[in-house]
Amino acid sequence: MRKILFLSLVTWLSVTFIGCDHKAERLLERAEAYMPAKPDSAEMCMDSIERPERLGDAPRALYGLLRTYTDNRQGKGVGSDSLIRDSYEYYRDASHAGQTADMTLLRRYAQSCYYMALFYSSCDSTKQCEDMLHQAIKGSEECEDWHTCYLAYTLLGKSTHWSNPEYAIQQSLKALGIYYKINDDVNNEVLILAHIAANYLTLAEPDSALKYYIKSCTLAEKNHLEKSQNEAYMGMACTYRYMGENKKALRYAKRSVTTAEGEFLVSSLLNLAESYYECDSLDQAKNVLSTIPCDSDDYIGQYLILRGLSDIAIRQQNLDSLSAYVDSAYECLENRFFHIQSVKDEYYQENLAKELEKEQIRHEAEISRWIGGAIILFLMLIASFIIYNVLRHKRLVVAEHQKEMRHQREILHQKSMTIAVLQKHLLEKLEHAKKLLTDNEKVHMTEEAWREMEHLINDTDNNFVQELRKEHKEFKEEDIQLCMLTRLKMSNAIIANIYHIGVDAVKKRKLNLKKNGFEVNDPAISLEDIIDNV
């Protein structure tokens, strides 16, 4: 029982202080199994994890990777690297920068590289983004994680759209080819087709761009993907505008507005205003620009609106309005610059605070591990002391038992010797009596002989007769005598000779004494057994 309690306590302490949170690990494994088909179920699993910042290195890295995945699928993007950077650094070191035979580790490393690339893309850090994407592509191809692979090729095509459109088209086409191997999310197919079309338009190949925009638009309409339809409609409007077919451009620009929601509404309205402008519908273009719902901190949106209004003022030769629009546009650019500086400062301050918090958590975890180890060591010492005392006590008990057994054997030996001496003495008495009597006389024991025998038995056998008389005061003298002869291991024949009766009569006396005197009816127990245990 002590050992069980000790092991239970050690197990509890190990879980508490070393941080072996098996429940969190099981939830993370279940969440990963839901990817990418059921991101909502995966998010529910992760929401069930309490205090994820207290997890160990491996589960915390997996938590950061899966949380970034679900956030991105919900449209939140990867605007912060607070989670994914820890995951990337852990899997980079654990896989030796992708040089590992562990496919699970390699797959997680490739995914973390992709999400780091998404973060760098949101920060306009093109070089870092492309480096991460190349690592993601290499790792995902090796472990055959085709979902991450085509996403990485898609983002690589998007990030090189302006710097190298021909290379961007190649990467987007690779992404489309890989996508067709698995067909896991039609949204991504529409996105890839739209990227290919945009790259062709940048290369001044509007016919090819229009072909892919039509494919993208048809697929989006078929699957009722309004967000993807909006992007395709805007792309087709831009393409027709580039081709000089402004009426068609206006038609698709209007369609894009009907499918736009949230942040995409501003882009769609800007596109519509530009289409009106190219159709020489300047008043309508101005009305659209004037009604665009732009947030006060959306400096780029405000700048584009003011630039559009400035172009209309130039065409209308409204110099007063033009001056006001230009001044306001310049102010937006200034605000944008200061806002970027403020965001950078906040980002660095936030990162510094997070690093300090992580360092504090690591320090607390290290202290907890030391405390846990010290407690476990202390308990092990106590357990060792307890086990030593238990074993020592057992040895003492065994030694005492052996000593008692030796003592009992000595007593039994003494009893045997005593009985043998008494038997010899009694037989000698009987033989001596036989020699003194004639052939017609019977051997008999005198009262003096019986008293002498009783004294000898009491002296040599722990007052056997005396104790017998105390316990069984109802016994007659002949019952006491029969008990003494039985204690001395006298045979039935000798007893019969002493009492001048037959052997069967002796047996009958013994049976009566057993049943009536000692009240024992078990046939398996003899009078000798009872006398030996008195």
Side-chain angles (χ1 to χ4, degrees):
M1 179 60 72
R2 288 177 178 175
K3 183 182 285 188
I4 293 172
L5 290 173
F6 169 70
L7 291 176
S8 301
L9 185 58
V10 169
T11 303
W12 177 80
L13 285 169
S14 300
V15 171
T16 302
F17 291 101
I18 301 176
C20 297
D21 195 345
H22 298 295
K23 179 182 177 182
E25 292 178 359
R26 287 195 300 270
L27 287 170
L28 288 170
E29 289 171 1
R30 191 183 305 168
E32 188 175 24
Y34 284 135
M35 301 294 191
K38 300 178 180 179
D40 293 337
S41 300
E43 186 174 28
M44 288 177 62
C45 289
M46 287 185 289
D47 288 342
S48 301
I49 299 174
E50 298 179 359
R51 304 193 72 181
E53 70 277 2
R54 297 287 182 180
L55 294 173
D57 292 341
R60 188 169 66 249
L62 182 56
Y63 175 85
L65 177 61
L66 297 179
R67 179 61 76 181
T68 303
Y69 182 98
T70 55
D71 287 350
N72 186 59
R73 281 294 296 265
Q74 292 177 346
K76 298 177 183 178
V78 190
S80 171
D81 64 340
S82 58
L83 282 175
I84 192 59
R85 185 171 293 279
D86 286 344
S87 302
Y88 163 71
E89 291 176 352
Y90 174 82
Y91 290 122
R92 179 196 61 195
D93 298 338
S95 67
H96 306 291
Q99 304 299 319
T100 178
D102 187 336
M103 293 297 104
T104 300
L105 203 60
L106 185 59
R107 172 170 51 80
R108 292 173 181 173
Y109 170 69
Q111 291 172 351
S112 65
C113 288
Y114 170 72
Y115 290 114
M116 280 299 298
L118 276 179
F119 167 72
Y120 284 127
S121 176
S122 68
C123 300
D124 296 328
S125 302
T126 306
K127 179 64 171 60
Q128 291 92 329
C129 174
E130 292 179 13
D131 290 343
M132 285 294 162
L133 288 172
H134 287 302
Q135 294 180 54
I137 290 169
K138 179 182 177 183
S140 59
E141 286 180 342
E142 188 172 342
C143 68
E144 298 183 353
D145 178 9
W146 302 120
H147 178 79
T148 303
C149 188
Y150 82 72
L151 288 178
Y153 272 120
T154 302
L155 185 57
L156 185 59
K158 182 180 179 181
S159 66
T160 56
H161 171 76
W162 296 110
S163 61
N164 192 346
E166 291 182 353
Y167 178 77
I169 290 174
Q170 293 175 3
Q171 306 313 305
S172 299
L173 288 172
K174 286 182 181 179
L176 189 62
I178 295 171
Y179 171 83
Y180 286 143
K181 290 182 179 180
I182 54 177
N183 291 315
D184 62 349
D185 190 341
V186 69
N187 275 295
N188 289 331
E189 182 181 1
V190 174
L191 179 67
I192 295 169
L193 291 170
H195 285 171
I196 295 173
N199 288 325
Y200 273 120
L201 187 60
T202 304
L203 280 174
E205 297 183 24
D207 292 334
S208 298
L210 190 61
K211 180 180 72 172
Y212 280 99
Y213 272 130
I214 291 173
K215 286 183 179 181
S216 175
C217 183
T218 303
L219 192 60
E221 290 175 343
K222 180 181 177 182
N223 292 276
H224 308 289
L225 306 174
E226 290 191 358
K227 178 180 175 182
S228 300
Q229 288 180 51
N230 173 262
E231 188 171 353
Y233 288 150
M234 284 197 295
M236 291 178 71
C238 292
T239 305
Y240 279 123
R241 208 162 45 242
Y242 181 87
M243 297 170 70
E245 299 184 28
N246 294 323
K247 291 185 178 180
K248 288 184 178 181
L250 181 60
R251 183 168 67 250
Y252 280 103
K254 289 179 179 179
R255 287 187 185 181
S256 71
V257 173
T258 61
T259 57
E261 291 182 359
E263 59 182 317
F264 298 99
L265 180 59
V266 174
S267 301
S268 298
L269 290 172
L270 286 169
N271 194 352
L272 177 62
E274 189 172 354
S275 296
Y276 275 127
Y277 180 84
E278 294 296 333
C279 290
D280 294 328
S281 300
L282 301 181
D283 291 335
Q284 289 176 301
K286 186 175 181 180
N287 289 335
V288 171
L289 290 172
S290 301
T291 59
I292 292 178
C294 191
D295 294 335
S296 59
D297 57 349
D298 184 6
Y299 301 110
I300 296 299
Q302 293 177 34
Y303 167 76
L304 292 175
I305 293 170
L306 291 168
R307 191 183 70 176
L309 291 171
S310 300
D311 292 339
I312 294 172
I314 291 172
R315 290 276 295 272
Q316 293 179 339
Q317 296 183 353
N318 189 344
L319 299 182
D320 294 335
S321 298
L322 175 62
S323 177
Y325 292 145
V326 170
D327 290 341
S328 297
Y330 181 75
E331 184 180 353
C332 283
L333 292 178
E334 279 188 331
N335 290 335
R336 171 66 175 171
F337 172 77
F338 291 121
H339 177 70
I340 290 174
Q341 294 298 322
S342 174
V343 168
K344 283 185 176 180
D345 290 341
E346 289 179 4
Y347 173 76
Y348 290 131
Q349 291 294 329
E350 181 182 354
N351 273 3
L352 179 60
K354 287 179 179 178
E355 285 299 322
L356 291 174
E357 183 180 359
K358 290 177 185 177
E359 185 63 30
Q360 183 178 358
I361 291 172
R362 283 194 290 266
H363 181 65
E364 291 176 356
E366 188 69 21
I367 291 175
S368 298
R369 281 194 288 268
W370 277 104
I371 293 174
I375 292 175
I376 291 172
L377 180 61
F378 177 70
L379 290 174
M380 290 178 67
L381 290 173
I382 293 176
S384 300
F385 179 74
I386 292 172
I387 292 171
Y388 169 76
N389 281 314
V390 169
L391 293 176
R392 182 171 173 271
H393 178 68
K394 284 185 177 180
R395 286 196 296 270
L396 291 174
V397 169
V398 170
E400 189 67 27
H401 180 67
Q402 291 175 346
K403 182 179 178 181
E404 182 64 24
M405 291 294 293
R406 285 196 298 270
H407 180 65
Q408 292 294 332
R409 284 196 295 269
E410 290 175 359
I411 291 173
L412 290 173
H413 180 68
Q414 290 175 0
K415 283 186 177 181
S416 299
M417 293 296 295
T418 301
I419 290 171
V421 170
L422 291 174
Q423 284 179 339
K424 183 179 178 182
H425 177 74
L426 184 57
L427 291 174
E428 286 177 353
K429 287 277 187 182
L430 292 173
E431 288 297 325
H432 180 67
K434 283 181 182 181
K435 290 178 182 180
L436 295 176
L437 298 172
T438 62
D439 294 336
N440 295 327
E441 292 178 338
K442 297 290 185 179
V443 177
H444 65 279
M445 290 281 291
T446 64
E447 292 294 331
E448 184 180 354
W450 283 113
R451 284 195 298 272
E452 183 181 354
M453 184 188 300
E454 183 176 340
H455 289 312
L456 286 171
I457 292 174
N458 283 331
D459 291 341
T460 58
D461 197 6
N462 295 324
N463 295 317
F464 168 74
V465 182
Q466 183 179 338
E467 295 298 327
L468 185 64
R469 288 183 185 278
K470 287 181 181 180
E471 292 181 11
H472 299 278
K473 295 180 180 180
E474 74 279 5
F475 279 8
K476 298 177 182 179
E477 196 62 33
E478 61 184 15
D479 295 332
I480 298 296
Q481 293 171 1
L482 183 57
C483 288
M484 287 192 295
L485 294 173
T486 304
R487 185 75 168 185
L488 293 175
K489 309 293 183 186
M490 292 296 180
S491 66
N492 289 341
I494 294 175
I495 296 172
N497 194 15
I498 292 172
Y499 284 116
H500 313 305
I501 58 177
V503 174
D504 291 336
V506 173
K507 292 180 180 178
K508 187 176 180 179
R509 282 191 182 186
K510 284 187 174 182
L511 183 60
N512 289 334
L513 182 59
K514 183 184 81 168
K515 290 183 177 181
N516 300 325
F518 291 101
E519 298 179 351
V520 177
N521 294 317
D522 190 351
I525 300 175
S526 65
L527 182 63
E528 285 79 1
D529 296 332
I530 297 172
I531 297 299
D532 285 343
N533 292 321
V534 173

